[in-house]
Amino acid sequence: MTAIQPPRPRTYELPGNYYTDLDVYRRELQTIWRSTWQWVGRLEDLTNPGDYLATVLGEEPIFVVRGGDGELLAMHNVCPHRGARLLPQKQGSCKFLQCPYHAWTFDLSGKLLAVAQPGWFPELDKSAVRLAGAQVDSWGGFVFVNPDPEGECLAEYLAGVPDYLNQYGQRWEDLRQIAHFTREEPINWKFQIENFVEDYHFATVHAETLTPLYDVQRIGTIPAGRHINIPVPYAPNCPPKDPQRRRWEAGGVSYQGFIFPNITYGTSAHTVFFSRYIPVNPTVTRFEAFIYQTPAQHAAEPYIGEAGPSKVGQEDTDVCTLLQEGVRSRAYQISHLAEEHELGISHFYNTVRAYLG
Ligand code: FES
Ligand SMILES: [Fe+2]
């Protein structure tokens, strides 16, 4: 008698414990969040020498500062004396950097200028002490930081995305923030990305919000390196009601997509949104959304969207919560993915696997 073989797991899926386990989460912190380019702010927030932006990428406290000579610099926000966090986690301006613990003082390029009680450190060679550097660069006014000082530059990392985004008929550098909202969700960050990069759910989940607006059959999923470009053509016919009718563009395309590891974005004729997903722990993620317009777009049609999470956002949160509720089950599996319309998911799985090994 032939033994019945248990079904073989599909090679492309991530096991369910990738969405719940602390061990996997810690591996993500040490790989993905420690060595990828991540979006931290906009150039217009860092105009003058001394303007800074301090944040935490995974477990890496980092800041970006406009140096004395106008150059943009990124450094680890950790004092080389005994490791205290230097700058508060916010946006601000300073003439030099002074550690709040024992007052070691650094210039804007991270060089040690002075220590309190220098006579107590007879061996100290100040010229050999400086803040640890990180990589910083910008595209389209968006400032990116990589905590890893080595490795590929931003242009190499983003390859395939700028060419796609340049099809949007606006200068990305001219965008200015119009609205911002944030919320914490009881969902692993990867489920939120996976939901964004597939459109198979539009007909059910967004039946009233997005389905009348877009030509769902023609939505593209185009992997570009670790990222995914998602051109979304508008529906052939004008939607009957607002707000979809206001956003519809005859023959137009909404340029949407995902930049690894945690940015999603989309354009419309009058606005751009950029969102990021910040893991708080294995099953909680902070979602931050920013709405931008160029001055011309703002003059033509001032943004009047919802002040809080959009209806579409709530629809997505609700279904991602369903995934988180199913993932601990012994029956959790990915049996099939739609060829084109869920292609983004298998691409994302492969990218995550490449980092986690
Ligand atoms: S830890 Fe910064 S001066 Fe001591
Ligand atoms: Fe959605």
Side-chain angles (χ1 to χ4, degrees), residues 260-279:
F260 188 83
N262 66 337
I263 301 167
T264 58
Y265 60 83
T267 69
S268 69
H270 299 289
T271 56
V272 169
F273 78 83
F274 251 62
S275 304
R276 59 188 166 207
Y277 302 81
I278 316 257

Side-chain angles (χ1 to χ4, degrees), residues 26-103:
R26 292 207 60 79
R27 250 178 35 235
E28 290 175 352
L29 288 174
Q30 284 155 17
T31 55
I32 295 171
W33 304 101
R34 193 173 269 191
S35 65
T36 50
W37 284 91
Q38 293 156 60
W39 164 45
V40 297
R42 290 277 303 173
L43 278 179
E44 55 269 24
D45 301 331
L46 297 156
T47 316
N48 301 309
D51 288 355
Y52 71 83
L53 199 58
T55 186
V56 180
L57 304 177
E59 291 179 311
E60 304 288 335
I62 289 272
F63 69 92
V64 182
V65 65
R66 179 71 67 184
D69 57 2
E71 200 191 347
L72 210 53
L73 303 162
M75 283 165 264
H76 289 261
N77 193 10
V78 177
C79 178
H81 173 223
R82 283 204 3 243
R85 192 261 296 139
L86 276 164
L87 287 167
Q89 262 175 55
K90 57 175 193 168
Q91 200 178 321
S93 191
C94 60
K95 291 203 163 38
F96 48 81
L97 310 158
Q98 189 171 61
C99 180
Y101 200 173
H102 313 95

Side-chain angles (χ1 to χ4, degrees), residues 132-214:
Q135 293 190 78
V136 61
D137 202 351
S138 69
W139 181 85
F142 292 95
V143 178
F144 290 79
V145 169
N146 187 340
D148 183 351
E150 309 290 332
E152 66 198 323
C153 63
L154 180 65
E156 277 172 39
Y157 184 82
L158 288 182
V161 177
D163 287 348
Y164 168 68
L165 289 179
N166 281 332
Q167 296 174 82
Y168 184 50
Q170 304 289 335
R171 269 173 48 88
W172 290 83
E173 291 79 1
D174 294 343
L175 294 174
R176 292 296 175 268
Q177 186 181 316
I178 300 296
H180 165 232
F181 60 86
T182 180
R183 62 177 185 264
E184 281 196 2
E185 300 180 339
I187 303 163
N188 180 278
W189 67 280
K190 298 188 291 301
F191 275 146
Q192 291 162 311
I193 303 293
E194 290 165 26
N195 177 68
F196 190 91
V197 300
E198 62 102 333
D199 59 85
Y200 186 37
H201 69 280
F202 279 28
T204 44
V205 178
H206 306 306
E208 291 177 8
T209 47
L210 297 184
T211 308
L213 178 62
Y214 296 135

